[in-house]
Amino acid sequence: MKRLIVLVLLVIPFVHAQDALPAMEIIDCPFLVPDTESVGQTLECGVLYVPENRSRADSPAIELVFVMLYALNPTDNAPIIYLEGGPGGSAVAAVDAWYGSALRNDYDLVLVDQRGTGYSLPSLNCPEVDDDSYADGTAAAQACHDRLVSEGIDLGAYNTVENAADINDLRLVLGYEQVNLFGVSYGTRLALEIMQNHPEGVRSVILDGVYPPNVSGYSEQPPNAQRAFEELFARCEADPACRSAYPDLEAVFYTTVDQLNEFPALYESEDGEQEILGDDLVNEWFQQLYSTAMIPFLPAIITAASEGDFDRMYSIINGEYTAGGAMSEEEFDALLMDYLELTSLDELYDYIDGLSDEEYADLLEGFDYDFGMMQTLGYATFTDFFDYLNGLTDEEYDALLIAYEGIDDDSEGLYNSVDCNDEVYFQTLDEVYTAAENVAPQIAGAMVAGVEEQFSVCDVWEVPQADASENEAVVSDIPTLVLNGSFDPITPPGWGEVAAQTLSRSYLYTFPGVGHGSVDVTACATQIALQFLSDPAAEPDAGCIQAMTVTFEVID
């Protein structure tokens, strides 16, 4: 019988005195857990209670939800605590991505929703940012700020220093003498903070997509974006197939952006008609550079836009052409027959022919939703899955839907509190403009506009500025693996070099063809990480990097 996990919302954040904290308890997981030997029987969830503001004796407690995903091969190895990026991302919401991770073969993994994120309470999520009634992002941020403050939330307490103390408290309440830290993106900055302030509990550190405190993230953003795009242009030009299929990619890129900035295109999407400017495409393509899986498709994506074929561009972005892993037509038909309780292809085709376009679209939408839930629960057929659903009460079914749909995995409020405190208040727009002077205007225009908006948001977010020491290089002799992707547009390889300069026992590697984050994304990075975890004092064998490259997809 499949186990039903009911969403538990804890509503007791104000009952703990500071002298009783940190504390923890085991809870029912607030998401669906497949009842399989590799997952359901090796997973527990908990909540950590910590002070919201450790500098205040009367500070209320807040709740941090975490997951312990136990090793498939139980050992005495120090566990891995994973630190999500963002800031504001939810590690727990993405727990299913870790079920098959090579890291958990021999290591317990601890995933924690940092303060203000995911399932943790209070939530600093800002639904206002998706509300079109606000004039702009700054107005939406102001509304979110005012709401959170009215609820009694101390926004100034949601910063990297408190975040690092939370992780150390989690280590202590779980009884771990030492842990391995694994941070990605902002999680690397958090890991560095823990190394600085709580080194006694850290055995080793993996920094993947490195964001050190001693860089100027916003003033460097335009040149970092240009560096990543130039990497793309150069790699395509050096690849005979890419160069032949997409000649003069760099010129096509800049010409397309210029033309659409001057004469925006109108595109009819599922959400209605939208205007597409060149700046919009630069931001879209910039985001695609994060994904190692999407990088091979970028020349085709840029070329489709240059031809005004936005249907083609978005179909590629949405995965229609993604190589490998796609369901075959025969497999899809078999599943759809099972879904509709039909017994032959003739019946299936007759049924589909009788549907209007709208009815067929509704069928596919329902199929996708139910198929995802079926997979999450570990069923192989819709017949078995529907038998399970039919055995639930209405209350159990409602709880199932809540648990499946999960939580918002992006906390804009936490992002603002951390980003304004740590980064924006230490920079000026004049510095951003100066750094952008040597960047192609097509890239600079799009990047600078985003930076200006975040500076405007921080003007209304009103949190304290971090101590100046929080922007200094972290000096440590804790063994550290420093990893970057060659295409990473937001945390470039140069930032890994900056961090490694003051980490005396660090090993630094850049992976060709990789975007933002490499471990569990590429076999080579995962292999190096496992070697490092096994013996942090020994330099890993990184010979696999020599064979890495990017093979661009040519789409007819």
Side-chain angles (χ1 to χ4, degrees), residues 98-130:
W98 293 94
Y99 294 157
S101 171
L103 297 181
R104 69 175 291 239
N105 286 336
D106 299 303
Y107 298 89
D108 293 345
L109 292 177
V110 182
L111 314 179
V112 57
D113 274 349
Q114 298 161 29
R115 52 175 53 210
T117 71
Y119 292 98
S120 293
L121 296 175
S123 170
L124 268 61
N125 182 44
C126 292
E128 292 86 350
V129 302
D130 296 319

Side-chain angles (χ1 to χ4, degrees), residues 27-38:
I27 63 170
D28 287 337
C29 292
F31 50 85
L32 293 183
V33 180
D35 189 12
T36 63
E37 184 174 349
S38 63

